[in-house]
Amino acid sequence: MRDYELLLLAIAFAMAHLLAPLAWHYRQQAREVISSFAGGLAMAYVFLHLIPEIDAASHLLGKRIFVLIMVGFSAYYGLEILIHRRAALSEAQADDHTLNVALAALYNVLLVYTLASQLPSTPILTLAFTLMVGLHLLVVDFGLLELYEDEFRRRGRFILVGSVLLGWALTFAGEPDPELVDALSALMAGSMMYKVFRKELPEFRQAHYRAFLSGLGLFLVVHVALGFAA
């Protein structure tokens, strides 16, 4: 485990959450282009990084890995349904914000904790990976800002910063069992796929396809170039 790289990665993710309101303000000025570009990055991340990681994990867990991915996807979808039904019944918005942020915080803890044993092979690959995932986390925060701007500014973002640091701190509890890491990674992968396919791709009327292709192409170029450099 390269402790210094994991620490820098955790700091970068924490800063993404902390600065999300500022980034969201500028995003509003070019909403369609930025959303579509980020969606392209996220889509490329799923197909070029996440799915190959799942394939590697399947050598240890076998076909059970796909059951866990399905569980992660379904659980996150079910919780989203619960949140929206509560909102439709005009129940407390503060409670909905807390539940949404709690889900995002759990996601952060799993993300950082499982990355401890899955860092890319070189520091430059880790840097590129950090930038891509940092953008993904920003897009998730944008969704929270659209729903609960004031609450997220006051406390939500700080909870997410804390969850990143908690995930980093847990890595010092000892080397996790490889099967546990793969199982947690599969659950996280399911929730990430839900977020990417349902949340991060703009609606058709808000989409900018060239920006989407630009984001996808950028990730592809970086991925291929750094793969040769590894």
Side-chain angles (χ1 to χ4, degrees):
M1 183 192 303
R2 303 192 297 274
D3 291 341
Y4 73 95
E5 287 185 31
L6 185 63
L7 174 60
L8 292 176
L9 180 147
I11 291 173
F13 290 172
M15 291 301 295
H17 289 305
L18 194 62
L19 299 176
L22 180 62
W24 186 66
H25 170 73
Y26 288 107
R27 177 227 188 193
Q28 296 299 88
Q29 300 176 16
R31 180 187 181 91
E32 293 180 2
V33 172
I34 294 176
S35 295
S36 297
F37 180 79
L41 284 175
M43 185 64 68
Y45 171 80
V46 167
F47 285 105
L48 297 178
H49 182 84
L50 190 60
I51 291 178
E53 286 291 330
I54 292 169
D55 182 62
S58 69
H59 296 303
L60 189 60
L61 292 178
K63 293 184 178 180
R64 290 175 292 173
I65 196 81
F66 300 104
V67 175
L68 291 172
I69 294 168
M70 182 181 68
V71 169
F73 188 103
S74 302
Y76 201 94
Y77 179 51
L79 288 168
E80 286 276 304
I81 291 173
L82 173 63
I83 290 169
H84 283 279
R85 285 183 177 173
R86 283 168 53 85
L89 294 172
S90 301
E91 297 188 29
Q93 188 184 55
D95 292 341
D96 294 339
H97 169 265
T98 299
L99 183 54
N100 258 311
V101 170
L103 289 175
L106 176 61
Y107 178 81
N108 281 346
V109 172
L110 291 177
L111 176 66
V112 179
Y113 179 68
T114 56
L115 283 177
S117 58
Q118 299 176 348
L119 286 176
S121 56
T122 67
I124 192 169
L125 281 169
T126 301
L127 175 61
F129 174 79
T130 301
L131 291 173
M132 300 303 181
V133 178
L135 283 172
H136 163 70
L137 295 178
L138 267 180
V139 173
V140 173
D141 286 357
F142 290 164
L144 292 172
L145 279 161
E146 288 180 352
L147 293 172
Y148 320 105
E149 181 178 358
D150 292 338
E151 285 288 331
F152 186 83
R153 286 178 184 273
R154 283 199 303 268
R155 54 190 188 91
R157 56 178 170 154
F158 299 108
I159 294 173
L160 295 183
V161 168
S163 68
V164 170
L165 298 179
L166 174 60
W168 172 72
L170 286 175
T171 63
F172 292 96
E175 288 290 338
D177 179 77
E179 287 196 5
L180 174 63
V181 171
D182 286 346
L184 292 175
S185 298
L187 291 170
M188 187 190 69
S191 63
M192 180 176 282
M193 285 180 175
Y194 173 83
K195 289 181 180 181
V196 170
F197 294 137
R198 187 169 177 87
K199 299 274 190 177
E200 296 189 22
L201 294 177
E203 297 289 338
F204 295 135
R205 62 181 180 277
Q206 299 174 340
H208 192 289
Y209 192 58
R210 282 178 294 180
F212 168 81
L213 291 178
S214 297
L216 190 149
L218 175 63
F219 193 103
L220 175 61
V221 168
V222 171
H223 180 83
V224 172
L226 294 180
F228 282 121

